[in-house]
């Protein structure tokens, strides 16, 4: 659990959560020999509890992430994901963390390619059907420099500004990409999904089958909110 200024790898502690806190919950699983990795943001006290800057940070983080997700298909360069993310957040006055990245995932938890969330020219290769990896941008309301706590695990922003993050494990198919960690019928619709100008509602992928499932899911969930 990464709260407010914690960029990633936060460890739950005894501090009571307060209304307006933004919290990233990062969940991994291991099933039948394969790893999964995903994370989601939450606001303590709900949408009305967060201040306007915090709300804009969450919306910007979600929107840049979805733009990057929509870029994924066979033949595209992995390195180009970073520019999509950085260009979007910079226009909104935020910064993207450069010290942590997304990654290939499968029978090994962290493997190639490294998915950088900023403009780069690293030779990370081309996307191809069958590849599985994560996109997980960490976006900061102020500077993107980090401080490592004495536990050698928890990373926070150096200036104390808040950070937000979203993550899916993705599978590239011949006709697009699907989220292996996509939401389901009981998932809540968050305000950044409801209000997004990039993609309204839950995102499950770009393949025809994913779009069909997504449409049915959003029809039910958006109409009930």
């Amino acid at each position: 659990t990464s709260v407010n200024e914690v960029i990633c790898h936060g460890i739950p502690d005894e501090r009571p959560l307060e209304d307006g806190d933004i919290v990233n919950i990062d969940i991994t699983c291991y099933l039948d020999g394969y790893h999964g990795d995903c994370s989601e943001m939450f606001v303590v006290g709900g949408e009305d509890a967060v201040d306007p800057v915090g709300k804009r940070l969450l919306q910007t983080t979600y929107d840049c992430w979805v733009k990057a997700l929509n870029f994924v298909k066979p033949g595209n360069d992995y390195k180009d994901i970073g520019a999509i993310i950085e260009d979007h957040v910079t226009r909104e006055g935020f910064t993207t963390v450069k010290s942590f990245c997304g990654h290939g995932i499968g029978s090994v938890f962290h493997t190639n390619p490294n998915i950088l969330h900023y403009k780069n020219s690293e030779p990370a290769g081309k996307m191809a059907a069958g590849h599985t990896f994560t996109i997980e941008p960490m976006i900061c309301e102020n500077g993107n420099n980090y401080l490592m706590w004495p536990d050698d695990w928890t990373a926070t922003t150096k200036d104390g500004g808040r950070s937000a993050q979203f993550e899916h494990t993705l599978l590239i198919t011949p006709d697009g990409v699907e989220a292996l960690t996509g939401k389901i019928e009981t998932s809540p619709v968050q305000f950044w999904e409801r209000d997004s100008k990039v993609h309204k509602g839950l995102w499950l992928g770009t393949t025809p089958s994913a779009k069909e499932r997504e449409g049915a899911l959003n029809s039910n969930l958006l109409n009930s909110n």
Side-chain angles (χ1 to χ4, degrees):
T1 55
S2 298
V3 182
N4 294 331
E5 77 276 15
V6 180
I7 295 171
C8 59
H9 304 159
I11 300 172
D13 56 27
E14 296 180 352
R15 172 193 175 273
L17 294 172
E18 301 176 1
D19 283 350
D21 284 344
I22 63 171
V23 183
N24 178 271
I25 298 179
D26 194 340
I27 296 174
T28 67
C29 66
Y30 184 69
L31 179 66
D32 297 333
Y34 293 91
H35 296 273
D37 195 7
C38 63
S39 78
E40 170 80 355
M41 294 301 299
F42 297 89
V43 177
V44 179
E47 176 182 355
D48 294 337
V50 69
D51 64 281
V53 175
K55 190 171 183 178
R56 194 163 60 85
L57 173 65
L58 290 163
Q59 189 69 64
T60 298
T61 305
Y62 179 77
D63 286 346
C64 80
W65 179 58
V66 172
K67 279 188 174 182
L69 298 176
N70 283 333
F71 173 74
V72 176
K73 66 178 182 180
N76 282 349
D77 288 326
Y78 280 108
K79 67 178 179 59
D80 292 338
I81 290 172
I84 293 169
I85 291 168
E86 186 168 24
D87 283 346
H88 185 88
V89 304
T90 299
R91 285 196 300 269
E92 297 296 327
F94 299 122
T95 60
T96 178
V97 170
K98 298 183 178 182
S99 302
F100 302 94
C101 63
H103 52 90
I105 187 171
S107 58
V108 177
F109 187 67
H110 274 234
T111 186
N112 290 330
N114 288 327
I115 307 300
L116 306 182
H117 304 119
Y118 57 91
K119 290 180 181 179
N120 69 92
S121 57
E122 292 296 315
K126 289 189 178 293
M127 302 174 191
H131 288 185
T132 52
F133 65 101
T134 71
I135 299 178
E136 46 183 299
M138 291 145 273
I139 308 304
C140 303
E141 67 174 325
N142 298 316
N144 59 6
N145 292 327
Y146 80 97
L147 178 70
M148 186 66 71
W149 281 10
D151 60 18
D152 287 328
W153 187 247
T154 305
T156 69
T157 58
K158 198 168 186 178
D159 58 20
R162 291 169 295 184
S163 182
Q165 179 187 26
F166 294 92
E167 177 185 14
H168 270 325
T169 295
L170 304 166
L171 168 65
I172 301 177
T173 70
D175 53 359
V177 62
E178 296 196 7
L180 298 181
T181 48
K183 292 189 173 182
I184 59 175
E185 292 81 0
T186 56
S187 299
V189 177
Q190 305 281 19
F191 72 78
W192 45 84
E193 295 165 325
R194 183 196 69 210
D195 298 342
S196 176
K197 292 180 173 59
V198 175
H199 180 88
K200 187 176 180 64
L202 309 185
W203 187 95
L204 297 184
T206 63
T207 66
S209 61
K211 299 304 289 184
E212 182 178 355
R213 288 182 279 113
E214 180 186 283
L217 200 57
N218 281 327
S219 178
N220 291 329
L221 292 175
L222 291 173
N223 290 334
S224 65
N225 277 266

